[in-house]
Amino acid sequence: MTVDRRSVLRSASRLAALSAAGGLVAACGGPSDGPGANGPSVAARPQPAHLTESPSQSPSPTPTPSPSASPSPSATPFALPPLAPDTPLEVVTGPHSRPQLALTFHGQGDPAIATALLEAAEQRGARLTVLAVGSWLDEQPQIAQRILSGGHELGNHTQNHLDISSMRPEQAREEIAQCAQRLQRLTGSIGRWFRPSATQYANTMLKEQAQQVGYAHVLSFDVDPRDYADPGADAVTRRVLKAAAAGSVVALHMGHPGTVTALPEILDGLAEQGLHAVTASELCA
C-alpha cells in the first residue's frame, strides 16, 4: 500500500466518523451568452434540478466581522496568470488544445471535509478553483488561507447562496459585493471569478452586476456530475471521467464526503487520459 492510499483511507475513515456524528453540513470558452452566436438563450437552456429550486430562506443579516477574519500575509493569493485576450465574459470551457481541465468546487460545508479534499488534490499535484460562499467565510475565515496556501484559487459564489437570478439587480449586486468584501478582507483580493448561485449560467443582469462589483468574468461549467445528490463516490468518479475532456470546467461541491472519496480516483483516471487539473485562471491563460 502506498502512502497516498493510506492517506485516502485515513481521510475516508475520518469522514465516516464525522458523518455518523451528524457533523457534516451539505453544500449547496464559449461566447458570453451561450455556446455559439446562434446558440439558445440563457432562459432556454435546461438547468440541473438542484439549480432551479428556489430556496425558501431569506438572506441572512450581514455578520459583524470577527477579529479572526483579519488579513494575513500568508493568505495573500499567488499572482494570477494573465488570461488569454479572447477569454469570453462567461467562461463555460477553456481551450481544448492543451491537456488540462479545471476542477471547480462550490465552497461551503464542514471545514474538515474541505481540508481533506484539498489534501487529496495536493497529494496528486492538482490545483483547484474554489468558489466560496460568503457566509461560509464568515463562519470559517481560516479556510481562505488554507485554500490559497495549497496553491489553489479562490473566487466568489455569492454571500448567501440563494436564487440570485430571481433577485432585483440591486439585490443581486449586494449578494456579489458582500462576498467580495469578505474575500478582500481575508486575502487582499476579491478573486478573479464570480459564479452565480442556483443557476449554471449567468443572465445579462447578473453579468452586469458582477462587472459593477469588479468581476470581468463569470465562471460557468460544462460538466456537472451532480455530486450534491450524494450518489456515491463510484458514481461521481464515473460521471466525471465519462464527460470530462481537455478544456472542461467541472462543477463539484466541498460539503460532501463522497466527493472527497472520489477525488483521488478522479485524478488518477484523468491522468490516465493525459489530463491534469489546473486552476481556472491557468486553464484560460
Side-chain angles (χ1 to χ4, degrees):
M1 182 178 292
T2 65
V3 174
D4 285 348
R5 184 62 176 167
R6 286 198 299 270
S7 299
V8 171
L9 290 175
R10 285 198 301 269
S11 295
S13 176
R14 177 174 57 161
L15 293 171
L18 284 169
S19 182
L24 302 182
V25 182
C28 30
S32 59
D33 279 321
N38 298 317
S41 67
V42 170
R45 295 189 179 107
Q47 303 291 328
H50 80 298
L51 297 179
T52 58
E53 298 175 357
S54 298
S56 59
Q57 70 269 32
S58 299
S60 58
T62 302
T64 301
S66 165
S68 63
S70 299
S72 167
S74 59
T76 302
F78 298 108
L80 297 175
L83 299 182
D86 59 349
T87 301
L89 173 60
E90 182 169 25
V91 172
V92 179
T93 67
H96 304 294
S97 57
R98 300 193 299 266
Q100 300 175 336
L101 80 172
L103 299 182
T104 67
F105 287 81
H106 295 189
Q108 196 173 11
D110 192 298
I113 300 178
T115 300
L117 191 147
L118 295 170
E119 290 173 349
E122 290 155 10
Q123 288 169 359
R124 285 163 172 74
R127 289 182 294 278
L128 313 177
T129 296
V130 179
L131 291 312
V133 176
S135 58
W136 184 54
L137 296 177
D138 288 332
E139 297 168 357
Q140 308 293 339
Q142 77 287 349
I143 201 69
Q145 177 177 342
R146 175 60 185 87
I147 291 166
L148 295 176
S149 66
H152 311 289
E153 187 173 21
L154 192 56
N156 184 323
H157 194 39
T158 77
Q159 176 63 20
N160 295 293
H161 202 266
L162 303 176
D163 182 2
I164 194 170
S165 297
S166 67
M167 295 180 181
R168 297 191 302 273
E170 61 272 20
Q171 292 177 313
R173 183 170 64 254
E174 185 65 12
E175 274 289 301
I176 303 168
Q178 285 186 21
C179 184
Q181 290 164 5
R182 272 71 176 168
L183 290 167
Q184 179 72 45
R185 185 177 70 246
L186 291 170
T187 73
S189 169
I190 67 170
R192 170 171 279 163
W193 304 104
F194 165 69
R195 174 172 289 173
S197 52
T199 181
Q200 181 173 356
Y201 302 100
N203 58 28
T204 299
M205 180 273 289
L206 290 177
K207 294 171 188 174
E208 291 174 349
Q209 300 312 311
Q211 285 182 308
Q212 288 189 30
V213 175
Y215 293 98
H217 299 279
V218 175
L219 183 61
S220 184
F221 50 89
D222 66 317
V223 177
D224 181 8
R226 303 185 301 282
D227 62 327
Y228 53 83
D230 296 317
D234 289 343
V236 174
T237 301
R238 183 174 62 253
R239 292 170 183 176
V240 172
L241 295 181
K242 180 178 179 180
S248 286
V249 179
V250 184
L252 293 159
H253 297 74
M254 280 195 144
H256 298 260
T259 302
V260 183
T261 304
L263 187 59
E265 295 297 329
I266 290 173
L267 292 171
D268 289 346
L270 292 173
E272 291 175 2
Q273 298 177 28
L275 297 173
H276 183 64
V278 298
T279 66
S281 286
E282 291 173 307
L283 184 68
C284 295

